[in-house]
Amino acid sequence: MKRITVLGATGSIGLRTLELVSSFPDEFTVAALAARGSTVERLADLCRKYAPEVVAVLDPTVVDRLARLLGPGGPELLGGPDGLVTAAREVSADVVVSALVGGAGLLPTMAAIQAGRAVALANKETLVMAGELMTRAARERGVPLLPVDSEHSAVFQCLAGHNRGDVHRILLTASGGPFRELPKDALTRVTVQDALQHPTWKMGAKITIDSATLMNKGLEIIEARWLFDVAPEQVQVVVHPQSIVHSMVEYIDGSVIAQLGVADMGVPILYALTYPERRPAPAARLDLPAVGALTFFEPDVAKFPCLRLAREALERGGTAPVVLNAANEIAVAAFLEGRIGFTMIPEVIERVLGEDPGRPLVSLEHCVALDADARARAQRWIEARSGGPSR
Ligand SMILES: NC(=O)c1ccc[n+]([C@@H]2O[C@H](COP(=O)([O-])OP(=O)(O)OC[C@H]3O[C@@H](n4cnc5c(N)ncnc54)[C@H](OP(=O)(O)O)[C@@H]3O)[C@@H](O)[C@H]2O)c1
C-alpha cells in the first residue's frame, strides 16, 4: 500500500488523483489532504470517502465548520499556512502530490522534500519560483521529483534509458489555447468566459487562463529547465493543437522521441504514483486513425507576449522568475474578477518584471518576501490603471 498525501485535494488534479486512489484500492491509501477550504462540503465528502489521518485547510475559519460536519472520530484538522506545511512534513507518506495552485504550494512542497518524501509535482509555479533551491534540496536528500504536468511526464518518459549528455533539445508541445486562430487585435475584446474555454484540457481556472495567454507554456519552459537540468535554450515550444503528442526529446544524432496519448491527466498522475512501474490506466485509448492528422506550428510570440516574458525571466534568472510568477498570479486573478482585460495580463507582468533589478535568489525566505513584494506592486499597478482598489 502506498500512502498518498494530496495537497490541493479539491482541485482538478487533486480530485483526479483521488479517483485513481478509488480505482486502485489495493495499491493506494490516503494519508493527508490539504486545500484552501473554499468548498467545505466537498472536503467533508472526501474525508468520509478516503479517511485521511490529517486534513489541512488554509482558511482557519473552515476548521470548525469541517469539524462539525465530520463529527467525532474524524481526521486531525489543521488550519492556516503552517497547517499545510505540517501536513506535508509530519504525516508519513510515500508520495506527496503537490497540486495546490500557485505560490501557495511553495512552502508545503518544500516541507515534503525536506522531510524526504517523494513529490509528484503538478504545482509548476513552485519550481518557477524556487527551481534551483527545490531541485538542490531534492538532490541532497535523494528525493524524486516526479512530473505530473503531461508535457513533463512525456519528457521524463522520453529521457528514460538515454544518456542525458546526448540530449540536443526538449520540445514542449502547446495546444495554442482558445485564441490560437484569433487575430491579435481581437484579443482586446475576449471575455473571461472565452478564455476559460480550453480546446483540449479541462483544468482549474488559473491554469486555463495561463493556457490562453501561453504563460502556461512559459512557466513550463522554466519548469523543464529545472526538472531536467538543461540549459534554457535547450527547451523549445511547438504548437500542436490536437494535444496528442505530449512532448518530445531530440537527441544529438537527430532522433526525436515523442510520447503520445489521449488528453487525460489520469495517465501522467498514475505514472507518477506508480513510477517506475506502470498500471493499466482506466483511461480512453489513443485511436490514431480517428485523430487523423497531427499538426505543428511555431508559437506566435508577438501575439502572446507572456511566452517571451517567461523566457526573459528564465534567462535573467535569480529573482526574475519569482517576480514573473507573482505578477502573473495577480494579473490572472484580476482578469478573472473582471478588473482588467485579457491583454493587460502581459502588460502588468512586463511592468513589474521591468522594475526587478535582477539579483541572485539566496534563500526560501528571500523568495517568499520577494513574492509578497511583487504581488503588492502588481496589485498597486492594476489599481492605478483600473481606477481603484479591488472589491
Ligand atoms: N488541471 C490540470 O489539468 C493541470 C495540468 C498540469 C498542471 N497543473 C497544475 O496543477 C496545479 C493545480 O491545478 P488545478 O487545475 O488542479 O487547480 P484547481 O482546480 O484550481 O485546484 C487548486 C487546488 O488548490 C487549492 N488552493 C487554491 N489556492 C490555494 C491557496 N492559496 N492555499 C491553499 N490551497 C489553495 C484549492 O483549494 P479550494 O478548492 O479549497 O479552493 C484546490 O484544492 C497548478 O499548479 C496547475 O498549473 C494542472
Side-chain angles (χ1 to χ4, degrees), residues 361-373:
L361 190 67
V362 292
S363 66
L364 208 55
E365 294 70 29
H366 183 202
C367 186
V368 170
L370 193 72
D371 173 64
D373 174 66

Side-chain angles (χ1 to χ4, degrees), residues 7-15 34-40 42-43 57-59 84 98-105 108 121-126 148-151 201-208 210 216 219-220 223 265 269 329:
L7 308 176
T10 48
S12 160
I13 293 290
L15 292 172
R36 178 165 44 193
S38 337
T39 49
V40 191
R42 179 183 279 176
L43 203 48
V57 280
L58 182 75
D59 180 353
L84 268 66
S98 168
L100 294 169
V101 67
L121 189 78
N123 185 193
K124 63 192 87 185
E125 294 91 343
T126 60
V148 166
D149 230 341
S150 59
E151 294 79 358
W201 296 95
K202 202 167 162 21
M203 309 177 287
K206 194 261 179 185
I207 184 176
T208 306
D210 283 347
N216 183 49
L219 300 178
E220 288 180 3
E223 182 185 11
M265 286 306 295
I269 297 171
E329 284 195 35

Side-chain angles (χ1 to χ4, degrees), residues 72-73 204 245 254 302:
V245 175

Side-chain angles (χ1 to χ4, degrees), residues 203-378:
M203 309 177 287
K206 194 261 179 185
I207 184 176
T208 306
I209 302 303
D210 283 347
S211 300
T213 62
L214 258 61
M215 177 55 90
N216 183 49
K217 215 44 60 180
L219 300 178
E220 288 180 3
I221 293 175
I222 305 177
E223 182 185 11
R225 182 264 174 270
W226 291 113
L227 268 182
F228 306 117
D229 193 20
V230 288
E233 61 276 12
Q234 280 181 289
V235 187
Q236 291 167 15
V237 172
V238 60
V239 174
H240 167 50
Q242 296 81 19
S243 297
I244 295 293
V245 175
H246 295 311
S247 276
M248 299 171 260
V249 175
E250 181 180 334
Y251 287 90
I252 49 175
D253 60 358
S255 291
V256 178
I257 300 193
Q259 189 261 347
L260 287 73
V262 292
D264 177 353
M265 286 306 295
V267 178
I269 297 171
L270 186 60
Y271 188 59
L273 295 181
T274 62
Y275 176 80
E277 295 172 16
R278 290 183 188 269
R279 293 289 178 277
R285 297 275 145 182
L286 178 58
D287 180 351
L288 279 174
V291 175
L294 299 178
T295 53
F296 301 91
F297 307 92
E298 284 286 346
D300 185 343
V301 187
K303 185 165 134 188
F304 298 107
C306 285
L307 201 51
R308 166 180 61 78
L309 292 167
R311 188 167 289 282
E312 277 172 23
L314 174 60
E315 279 160 10
R316 278 166 56 189
T319 52
V322 186
V323 174
L324 172 97
N325 180 67
N328 181 56
E329 284 195 35
I330 295 298
V332 170
F335 172 68
L336 283 168
E337 289 164 10
R339 291 163 51 215
I340 63 172
F342 185 76
T343 51
M344 232 177 102
I345 297 174
E347 278 182 46
V348 174
I349 301 164
E350 185 140 33
R351 173 73 181 217
V352 178
L353 193 59
E355 293 167 358
D356 177 59
R359 291 153 289 164
L361 190 67
V362 292
S363 66
L364 208 55
E365 294 70 29
H366 183 202
C367 186
V368 170
L370 193 72
D371 173 64
D373 174 66
R375 281 169 195 264
R377 285 190 289 118

Side-chain angles (χ1 to χ4, degrees), residues 19-245:
E19 278 173 29
L20 290 166
V21 169
S22 299
S23 302
F24 295 89
D26 301 333
E27 297 234 18
F28 306 126
T29 180
V30 171
L33 299 177
R36 178 165 44 193
S38 337
T39 49
V40 191
E41 279 78 15
R42 179 183 279 176
L43 203 48
D45 285 345
L46 295 179
C47 291
R48 290 185 200 102
K49 188 164 179 189
Y50 295 101
E53 288 162 23
V54 172
V55 175
V57 280
L58 182 75
D59 180 353
T61 64
V62 165
V63 169
D64 284 347
R65 285 164 60 204
L66 199 53
R68 275 197 301 278
L69 280 172
L70 293 173
E76 181 185 346
L77 302 179
L78 305 171
D82 292 348
L84 268 66
V85 168
T86 303
R89 188 180 50 217
E90 305 294 337
V91 182
S92 155
D94 298 291
V95 183
V96 174
V97 178
S98 168
L100 294 169
V101 67
L106 179 66
L107 296 180
T109 305
M110 270 305 252
I113 294 171
Q114 284 161 349
R117 309 197 194 295
V119 169
L121 189 78
N123 185 193
K124 63 192 87 185
E125 294 91 343
T126 60
L127 262 192
V128 170
M129 295 169 76
E132 188 167 10
L133 298 170
M134 196 172 273
T135 49
R136 192 192 311 143
R139 259 195 317 276
E140 283 169 3
R141 288 164 186 77
V143 169
L145 287 181
L146 302 159
V148 166
D149 230 341
S150 59
E151 294 79 358
H152 301 73
S153 176
V155 171
F156 188 57
Q157 295 177 58
C158 295
L159 288 170
H162 296 271
N163 185 347
R164 288 291 172 101
D166 292 341
V167 172
H168 175 59
R169 60 177 177 160
I170 286 172
L171 283 162
L172 296 179
T173 53
S175 72
F179 306 135
R180 185 175 64 84
E181 292 187 313
L182 205 66
K184 185 166 183 272
D185 54 8
L187 286 178
T188 52
R189 295 187 294 278
V190 303
T191 65
V192 172
Q193 281 318 311
D194 296 333
L196 284 173
Q197 300 305 316
H198 194 278
T200 46
W201 296 95
K202 202 167 162 21
M203 309 177 287
K206 194 261 179 185
I207 184 176
T208 306
I209 302 303
D210 283 347
S211 300
T213 62
L214 258 61
M215 177 55 90
N216 183 49
K217 215 44 60 180
L219 300 178
E220 288 180 3
I221 293 175
I222 305 177
E223 182 185 11
R225 182 264 174 270
W226 291 113
L227 268 182
F228 306 117
D229 193 20
V230 288
E233 61 276 12
Q234 280 181 289
V235 187
Q236 291 167 15
V237 172
V238 60
V239 174
H240 167 50
Q242 296 81 19
S243 297
I244 295 293
V245 175

